[in-house]
Amino acid sequence: MDIRAQVSMVFHLDKCIGCHTCSIACKNIWTDRKGAEYMWWNNVETKPGTGYPTQWEDQGIYKGGWEKKKGKIVLRGAGKKKGLLNIFHNPHMPTIDDYYEPFTYKYLNLIESPEKDIQPTARPVSLITGKPIDIKMGPNWDDDLSGTPDFARQDPNLKNLTAAEAEAMFQLEKMALYYLPRICNHCLNPACVASCPSGAIYKRGEDGVVLINQDVCRAWRMCVTACPYKKSYYNWNSGKSEKCILCYPRIEAGLAPACMHSCVGRIRYLGVILYDAERILQTASADEHHLVEAQLEALVDPYDPEIMESAKANGIADSTLKAAQDSPAYKFVKVWGLALPLHPEYRTLPMLFYVPPLLPVMASVTQTRDEEQKKKLHPISKVWDDKWLYDTSTEEIWGTIDEARFPLKYLASLFSAGDEAQVKTRLKKLMAVRMYRRYKTVGDISEQRALEALKETGLTPEDADGIYYLTSLAKFDDRFVIPASHREQALEMLDFAGDIKGSTGFGTKKIPERGL
């Protein structure tokens, strides 16, 4: 058993309002500079949609992540042999057109233009060439366009649906959308680390943050191909690859990352999760339909005395263990079983989890009732009356999840490698908590029905209260449980770096197991 600590994140998709405040906060701090204009370490996509870069989920195009061949996992589009063959031209790397050519407007035209009979305009100009361009794409170009043929209907996740199921999503009366914020997943089995010929990308031992050493990077750009989420970018000005660093200088100071601190909807949670590093290969090699279960099994209980002893033997501090026990991410992922990883079939074992959206479900309930019950509807508001909601069985309500505007098959393609049962379990739990809160606050659902719903999903009233608190009432320190950094470890690493620099290449001290 090799217990390590990972700073993990949870995004609650039912709460995201698509304001892009997180993206702007990240852009202003990290990528507002030459060569990084097109980079969005944090971006928010509309689903269904093609995302950024366009069609990033289609690994038939980009060859990202890992694939299982003859019982072993190998990089899909990178590695020694593939890297050598593509050393001068990599056909699987996104181009600037797949992202978008960054642009600004020539605002001086509005100020310096001589007097004319027509209104001067601020023409768009490229931030790369400085020449006028016609704008064709942007980082959130398909924002809110849930029914367009160019974006929504080109969503790669729709390929798992039948033609009738896909078309039903775009009927005007059933059309829906939700937002999918994305940052680097800081995976347990990162393909970018494995693909780098220079060894410039590494995973920090103390918190699992994946970083790129700018001094070692030689611009092979294999990481851009290997990352299936396309969260590694090439800076055309510096000639180096860059990526989200999870604002580790802020985390070390006890502050939340900029995107999380600025989140208007308070959808983001951050905390430590302990995992068994010895199980990474076994987990990443699991059958596709068992990937989610295998990943969750690799995440261990921070209260288990044996786990705590192994963690301390690995140099994990008591403060980090306490943070793991109080972690909101651990509660959402393991204790309550509400959150799922994004595209686990890429086998990178991402440590950013999503609570799937429960919308809109109740609007479909009317389709499951007989004509007599329909007569009870108010003729104007079309809202069911208290008696119907009170008398409806949980079985009828669970049935509506299968008839939701977002098919389970679509959500399963995103969050569970096609396993619909995994998604349905989470949606049932979310619905059960809603029913319980209706009983507690409104009283139009009986206590028996509410408790029955919780019992069917494996939740207790205490669980429901905890989920409600973290979802709706949690304070800053509840949502972000950040372990204190240790100055003595930093000084130890500085001493070690000095020994390496002054030696013949091998150093005079043993590499600390917890650090490298």
Side-chain angles (χ1 to χ4, degrees), residues 280-348:
I280 289 179
L281 179 59
Q282 174 188 349
T283 302
S285 304
D287 293 336
E288 188 164 293
H289 292 300
H290 295 93
L291 281 169
V292 173
E293 296 172 358
Q295 182 171 350
L296 294 182
E297 289 174 1
L299 309 180
V300 295
D301 183 0
Y303 290 96
D304 187 321
E306 186 180 355
I307 298 296
M308 295 175 67
E309 183 179 348
S310 178
K312 291 180 179 180
N314 259 0
I316 297 177
D318 289 339
S319 59
T320 303
L321 288 175
K322 182 64 168 63
Q325 293 172 349
D326 297 337
S327 169
Y330 180 76
K331 292 176 183 176
F332 273 114
V333 175
K334 283 282 284 187
V335 178
W336 299 325
L338 286 175
L340 291 167
L342 180 64
H343 286 299
E345 69 272 17
Y346 299 159
R347 301 181 183 274
T348 60

Side-chain angles (χ1 to χ4, degrees), residues 124-136:
V125 294
S126 169
L127 285 174
I128 298 178
T129 65
K131 297 179 180 179
I133 62 171
D134 293 326
I135 302 172
K136 297 179 180 179

Side-chain angles (χ1 to χ4, degrees), residues 362-363 366 369 374 376-385:
M362 297 303 288
T366 56
R369 294 179 290 167
K374 288 181 180 179
K376 298 178 183 178
L377 289 172
H378 191 281
I380 299 177
S381 64
K382 301 299 182 184
V383 177
W384 55 88
D385 60 24

Side-chain angles (χ1 to χ4, degrees), residues 103-113 120-126 130-132:
F103 58 88
T104 187
Y105 295 94
K106 204 168 182 179
Y107 294 107
L108 283 178
N109 283 0
L110 304 178
I111 301 173
E112 298 178 347
S113 174
T121 60
R123 292 190 64 186
V125 294
S126 169
K131 297 179 180 179

Side-chain angles (χ1 to χ4, degrees), residues 90-319:
N90 189 344
H92 307 304
M93 189 168 63
T95 66
I96 194 66
D97 290 335
D98 294 317
Y99 296 100
Y100 74 106
E101 187 167 357
F103 58 88
T104 187
Y105 295 94
K106 204 168 182 179
Y107 294 107
L108 283 178
N109 283 0
L110 304 178
I111 301 173
E112 298 178 347
S113 174
E115 184 177 354
K116 296 181 179 180
D117 293 334
I118 58 175
Q119 174 70 32
T121 60
R123 292 190 64 186
V125 294
S126 169
L127 285 174
I128 298 178
T129 65
K131 297 179 180 179
I133 62 171
D134 293 326
I135 302 172
K136 297 179 180 179
M137 179 62 76
N140 59 337
W141 202 249
D142 55 351
D143 212 14
D144 296 348
L145 300 180
S146 63
T148 61
D150 292 335
F151 296 103
R153 293 172 186 265
Q154 301 302 317
D155 188 326
N157 298 289
L158 296 177
K159 67 182 180 182
N160 296 322
L161 276 64
T162 64
E165 290 172 331
E167 189 58 34
M169 291 181 64
F170 301 112
Q171 294 177 13
L172 186 59
E173 68 276 9
K174 293 185 177 181
M175 194 177 296
L177 62 88
Y178 69 92
Y179 302 105
L180 182 71
R182 296 199 302 117
I183 64 174
C184 172
N185 293 276
H186 297 278
C187 308
L188 297 184
N189 185 37
C192 59
V193 173
S195 68
C196 181
S198 305
I201 312 181
Y202 62 100
K203 189 173 179 65
R204 295 211 312 183
E206 59 267 36
D207 54 17
V209 176
V210 177
L211 301 173
I212 301 177
N213 188 329
Q214 297 290 287
D215 292 331
V216 180
C217 178
R218 295 294 178 266
W220 293 106
R221 288 174 278 180
M222 291 300 171
C223 56
V224 179
T225 296
C227 177
Y229 305 98
K230 292 297 169 276
K231 283 301 175 181
S232 182
Y233 303 87
Y234 177 67
N235 186 312
W236 56 267
N237 182 59
S238 66
K240 307 287 185 179
S241 289
E242 300 179 5
K243 62 177 292 298
C244 161
I245 62 174
L246 200 59
C247 286
Y248 74 84
R250 293 176 61 91
I251 289 180
E252 290 175 353
L255 303 173
C259 64
M260 301 189 184
H261 188 278
S262 64
C263 178
V264 174
R266 298 185 178 184
I267 78 162
R268 302 180 182 224
Y269 304 83
L270 180 141
V272 174
I273 292 183
L274 302 181
Y275 67 96
D276 186 357
E278 289 184 355
R279 302 187 60 158
I280 289 179
L281 179 59
Q282 174 188 349
T283 302
S285 304
D287 293 336
E288 188 164 293
H289 292 300
H290 295 93
L291 281 169
V292 173
E293 296 172 358
Q295 182 171 350
L296 294 182
E297 289 174 1
L299 309 180
V300 295
D301 183 0
Y303 290 96
D304 187 321
E306 186 180 355
I307 298 296
M308 295 175 67
E309 183 179 348
S310 178
K312 291 180 179 180
N314 259 0
I316 297 177
D318 289 339
S319 59

